[in-house]
Every structure is written in C-alpha cells, then in structure tokens.
Amino acid sequence: MKAGFTGLKGKEISLISIVLMAATIILWSWEKTPGLTAFPPPQKPLQLSSDHLKRMGESNTRTTSKKEVKENILSSVSDEEPKHEKILEAGKSHGIQTFSTPTSEAKRNDAKVEKTSKLEEHKEDFFMNSPQISSSIGRDDNNWNNATEIKACNYAKGKWVPDDNRPLYSGFGCKQWLSSMWACRMMQRTDFAYEKLRWQPKDCKMEEFESSKFFKRLQNKTLAFVGDSLGRQQFQSLMCMATGGEEKPDVEDVGSEYGLVLAEGNARPNGWAYRFPSTNTTILYYWSAILCDVEPIDVNNPQTDYAMHLDRPAAFLREYLHKFDVLVLNTGHHWNRGKLNANKWVMHVGGVPNTDKKLAVIWGAKNLTIHSVVSWVNSQLPKYPGLKAFFRSISPRHFFGGDWNTGGSCDNTKPMSVGKEILEEESSDPVAANAVKGTGIKLLDITGLSQLRDEGHISRFSLTAQPGVQDCLHWCLPGVPDTWNEILFAQI
C-alpha cells in the first residue's frame, strides 16, 4: 500500500508541475502581447475545385442567351468606340497619352496610391469577380491563361531601341515570299533607319526569334493567319523570318488542301499555304477582311448583293479550324461605309437582314462580329485542346493632314519612338481586349507599340504612287510586322 501511495503521489506532482509551467508561459505571453486574443486566427482563402468552377462556368454560359450576349456587346460599344476611333487616327496624336513625362508620371503616382487603397478595400470582391482571374482558375494548361501571361510579361509595354543586328532578313531578298509592293528597299526609299529598331518590353526580356527554334516548336503543326491585308503582311513577314529571306525550293505549295486556289477571273487566290517538309510545318494565310461569313444573296445574279452575317464566323474557319494548331485573327480597317458599299455587303443577323439601328452603325456591327467570332472560337477550344488562338489588335494608321484620298501623308523618315515608352497596362484597342477577356483566346497586343512607328509605313515610296496619294496603312518589310511575329513566337 505504501509503495502504491508513493507512486500515485509522484504522478500527481508531475501533473501539477506541468500545469504550473503552462500557466506561467501563458501569463508571460499575455503580459508581452495583451491584445493577442483580440484577433481571430488566420483564415484560409476560399478555394474552389477546378471541377466546381468549371460547372459554374458552364452554368453561367447556359443561362446567358444569345440575345443577352448581343445586348451586352452593344451596351459596351459606347465606351469602347471613342478610344478605338483614336487608334485609326493615331498619327495625329502620336499615341502621346502613353508616353512617360514628369507631369504625367506624378499624376500616375497619385492615381496609383488612390487605386491601391481602393483595391485593398475590395480585394476579396475583385478576386472572385475578375473575369480574367475567375476564367483562368481550373482551366486546362493547353488553354491560355490571360491573367498569368500578363503578369509574366506584358509584351505591349516597352520601347523601341536601336539594334544593329536588325533586320532579321534582307530587304533586297525574300523575293519568294515578299510582295514587291511592300519591299521598300526595292522601291524609291533611300533611308532605312526603320529597319534598325527592336522592341524591348518593360520589366522582362522577350525571347529572340530563331528559325531553328521556330520550326522545332511548330514541328508537325499548322499556323494560320486569317484576316485582312495587314494579316497578309504578317504572314509574309513570318515566311521571310522563318527562311531568313533565303530561297527554299523544297517548300511545298499545299494551298489546294485548304481550298486556296486561283478561281477563274480572280487576280490571286484567297490565300496561300506552304509546308516545310523537313519539320512538316505549314504556314498559311486566308483573306477574310471582316472575319464574318459573306455569301451571295442571289447566286444566279452576277450583280447580286452579299450578305455579311455579323454573328457567323467565316466559312473557312468553320471548315478548317480542326487542322490548325496556332490561329491568328485580325480585322479592322475594312469596317467603313465605303468598303461596304463597294463590296455590296448587306448586314445580316440571325440569317435575315439587320433591322437593329444600333448595328446599322459600322462600329456597332464590327464590335458584334469581333465578339461573335472570338466567342465561337472559344467554344471550339474544348474540342481542340492543342489549339493556341490569338486575336491581333488593330494596326494603327498614320495619316497627317488628311486621309488616304484627301492629301494625307506620313513623310517622316526619322524614328520618333526611340527613348519613348508605352507604359499603359490596358490595351490601346479596347474592342479586341474586351472581346478576348475571360476566354481562352490570347490578345496579340501590337497597337500601342505600332503607334510609335509612323516612319515605318510605305508612305510615298510605292512603285505605283500617285501624286497626293500615300500609303500610311501598310508597313515596309522588313519592319514593324516582324515585331508582331516576334511577340507571337514568344507566346507560342
């Protein structure tokens, strides 16, 4: 009994000692930080599984009707279009609103402080409702994550810097791919400083274009440009960059596989497709100036008008999308009343002639088409998970003192952009930027950086130039479109 009693007493003493030590530590901690218990324990952020987010996204898609989508697009037009119109007349303003000056920098800093405080107040709401972030959470890696990509490197921000290693191909060469009307070294131009500039993104380094890397990355793949003549310039630029401007007799013309053949009575086919047999890489271009479907109203009448279906993508896209691994879309400058009248295009929506007065306005129709095409391509991405789709923002014009047919000119030959920067976070093309927001389509944002290059256009140096008529829309090659392809390459 005595031994048992002694053992029990020892245990009790040990327990009492532990309790006293714990109490001492607690009291000491309280004296040091008396308000500690006033704060709740840290909360883990709300985490939703990718399956749950996907179901939420599918539910939201199902509950949004086509009518609602159309109304949402049209309601945003009034905010986007004034900015977009400035792009078409970029030469008048030189894109000065994006330059860094002491005054603007001070205002930007003040605005940044105010913006930061507001973001802190509403950061939880922002996280859950941001279209870029919410649409990218749980998305398959094969699709593009707009928000993450911008954080990694916003290629639209930066400046032009001199580079003696430019151009990437000879302006006298590349005759196999480059149209003579765009090869400024083959024309009357005598200054070539525009060839010696390289785009340098801010706060990041852009991957340098190398032909070997390009073909390795595009092995057994097809890259397609679909758009207007600026898209054709980008296509020809890439062909020259990929070959270094050298003759490639082994390259195969595979246009017939995509219906790109010369039709009777046409000066040229609707596009071209070339295959490099060493890596089975195909690069093609299809001319679709407005991206929407265009078809004759009366096939038996040679003088018929043509229905432009604003809410229907071009037939070429619907037929051949499954063959593409990289798709680059663009449109912009054909959306004017003169082009519509000259081509006998009549707006159609839902398969019938348009009666909506809002759509009768050119920029309203263009906005609806861009959103519709992007939405359609986005809807196809689950079927083709390897497809990388881009929408290229609009290429700016630089007409001074008038338009192309009223004496407008762009005679400057001195690069005006060296030492000036694009610092804005938002794209200079809000229509394109808003269309791709929250989708798997990536914005190829080239508008701001191209605004700085008014000296890079063909200007008065065309072989067929007429007095008082200058080309301040298309670019000299080699030139600015090469940079578009460098940015594209860096993101493929």
Side-chain angles (χ1 to χ4, degrees):
M1 285 295 291
K2 186 176 181 180
F5 176 80
T6 303
L8 180 61
K9 186 176 181 180
K11 290 182 180 179
E12 289 175 348
I13 292 173
S14 298
L15 289 173
I16 292 171
S17 298
I18 293 172
V19 170
L20 288 174
M21 288 177 65
T24 302
I25 292 172
I26 292 172
L27 289 173
W28 179 84
S29 300
W30 175 257
E31 290 176 355
K32 293 293 184 182
T33 53
L36 185 64
T37 56
F39 294 94
Q43 300 293 320
K44 292 184 178 180
L46 177 63
Q47 295 182 351
L48 300 179
S49 68
S50 58
D51 291 338
H52 181 67
L53 285 166
K54 184 176 181 181
R55 288 194 296 271
M56 288 174 60
E58 291 173 348
S59 175
N60 290 336
T61 302
R62 287 194 297 270
T63 56
T64 304
S65 66
K66 289 184 177 180
K67 182 178 180 181
E68 289 173 329
V69 171
K70 176 181 170 183
E71 290 175 351
N72 290 338
I73 292 171
L74 292 176
S75 66
S76 67
V77 167
S78 59
D79 293 331
E80 295 174 352
E81 191 55 28
K83 299 178 184 177
H84 199 247
E85 285 300 304
K86 291 180 182 179
I87 297 170
L88 302 182
E89 298 298 332
K92 295 181 179 179
S93 64
H94 301 280
I96 291 176
Q97 68 274 11
T98 60
F99 294 168
S100 176
T101 62
T103 303
S104 62
E105 192 67 35
K107 291 181 179 179
R108 187 180 293 111
N109 290 337
D110 292 340
K112 187 176 182 181
V113 172
E114 181 180 355
K115 184 177 181 181
T116 301
S117 63
K118 290 182 178 179
L119 282 176
E120 286 298 322
E121 294 174 6
H122 303 288
K123 60 184 178 181
E124 290 183 4
D125 179 64
F126 171 80
F127 179 83
M128 294 309 299
N129 294 294
S130 170
Q132 286 189 345
I133 296 176
S134 62
S135 65
S136 63
I137 298 176
R139 179 177 292 162
D140 187 90
D141 288 340
N142 285 326
N143 290 334
W144 289 102
N145 182 334
N146 285 338
T148 301
E149 190 68 28
I150 290 175
K151 289 180 181 178
C153 185
N154 184 352
Y155 296 104
K157 293 174 59 178
K159 62 182 178 180
W160 292 95
V161 297
D163 188 346
D164 289 335
N165 294 323
R166 302 293 160 131
L168 299 176
Y169 54 92
S170 170
F172 287 114
C174 204
K175 296 179 181 179
Q176 188 174 3
W177 320 113
L178 180 56
S179 296
S180 58
M181 62 183 176
W182 293 333
C184 289
R185 277 191 177 265
M186 304 296 292
M187 297 187 285
Q188 307 169 49
R189 189 157 184 161
T190 57
D191 70 289
F192 304 103
Y194 68 90
E195 292 184 350
K196 294 291 186 179
L197 292 174
R198 171 176 55 84
W199 179 249
Q200 180 176 291
K202 185 175 178 61
D203 301 326
C204 58
K205 184 177 181 180
M206 185 164 64
E207 181 181 9
E208 293 186 11
F209 182 91
E210 293 183 15
S211 180
S212 58
K213 285 185 179 180
F214 171 79
F215 283 113
K216 184 177 181 180
R217 204 164 292 178
L218 271 294
Q219 187 167 2
N220 299 317
K221 298 184 185 300
T222 297
L223 189 158
F225 294 97
V226 178
D228 56 22
S229 57
L230 278 306
R232 183 184 170 198
Q233 283 211 298
Q234 189 174 0
F235 159 72
Q236 291 191 6
S237 163
L238 184 59
M239 292 296 294
C240 291
M241 291 168 64
T243 60
E246 299 178 359
E247 293 287 324
K248 295 290 183 182
D250 61 327
V251 174
E252 303 172 6
D253 184 340
V254 293
S256 59
E257 294 183 16
Y258 301 89
L260 304 176
V261 295
L262 183 62
E264 185 178 353
N266 290 351
R268 56 177 178 259
N270 285 335
W272 297 265
Y274 297 104
R275 182 166 297 142
F276 295 81
S278 59
T279 57
N280 192 34
T281 300
T282 303
I283 305 175
L284 69 84
Y285 162 77
Y286 177 76
W287 188 86
S288 179
I290 53 177
L291 293 182
C292 63
D293 200 18
V294 178
E295 60 181 6
I297 295 176
D298 183 356
V299 293
N300 298 316
N301 179 10
Q303 305 301 319
T304 186
D305 290 337
Y306 291 80
M308 52 185 302
H309 297 280
L310 304 180
D311 53 351
R312 185 192 304 171
F316 179 82
L317 283 172
R318 303 198 308 272
E319 185 173 356
Y320 295 106
L321 185 69
H322 68 282
K323 288 191 170 188
F324 305 154
D325 299 283
V326 180
L327 172 65
V328 183
L329 302 168
N330 93 279
T331 187
H333 295 290
H334 281 253
W335 290 92
N336 61 74
R337 189 60 62 182
K339 290 288 186 181
L340 264 66
N341 293 338
N343 291 306
K344 296 183 176 181
W345 289 338
V346 180
M347 296 181 190
H348 279 56
V349 178
V352 297
N354 173 57
T355 57
D356 191 330
K357 292 183 179 180
K358 290 182 179 179
L359 291 181
V361 181
I362 292 295
W363 44 263
K366 172 174 64 65
N367 202 4
L368 175 61
T369 295
I370 291 175
H371 280 76
S372 296
V373 170
V374 168
S375 178
W376 178 80
V377 173
N378 188 57
S379 72
Q380 301 301 300
L381 293 181
K383 299 180 185 177
Y384 315 113
L387 175 63
K388 311 294 185 184
F390 297 83
F391 194 96
R392 202 206 74 214
S393 63
I394 194 168
S395 172
R397 314 183 324 155
H398 289 92
F399 287 97
F400 298 90
D403 213 325
W404 69 272
N405 57 353
T406 58
S409 64
C410 49
D411 285 335
N412 177 41
T413 57
K414 181 180 179 181
M416 46 116 9
S417 58
V418 177
K420 297 178 181 179
E421 300 179 289
I422 297 293
L423 298 174
E424 302 300 322
E425 291 290 345
E426 296 182 357
S427 172
S428 298
D429 185 351
V431 174
N434 287 339
V436 303
K437 187 178 296 183
T439 72
I441 316 301
K442 181 72 178 177
L443 180 68
L444 184 57
D445 193 358
I446 58 87
T447 304
L449 63 91
S450 303
Q451 282 178 342
L452 304 179
R453 297 296 307 278
D454 68 306
E455 93 297 348
H457 291 291
I458 292 173
S459 184
R460 58 184 172 83
F461 303 108
S462 170
L463 290 173
T464 58
Q466 301 175 7
V469 178
Q470 296 193 15
D471 187 348
C472 303
L473 172 65
H474 297 100
W475 304 90
C476 287
L477 291 176
V480 173
D482 301 336
T483 295
W484 305 349
N485 284 322
E486 288 182 278
I487 297 175
L488 173 65
F489 170 71
Q491 297 179 86
I492 293 177

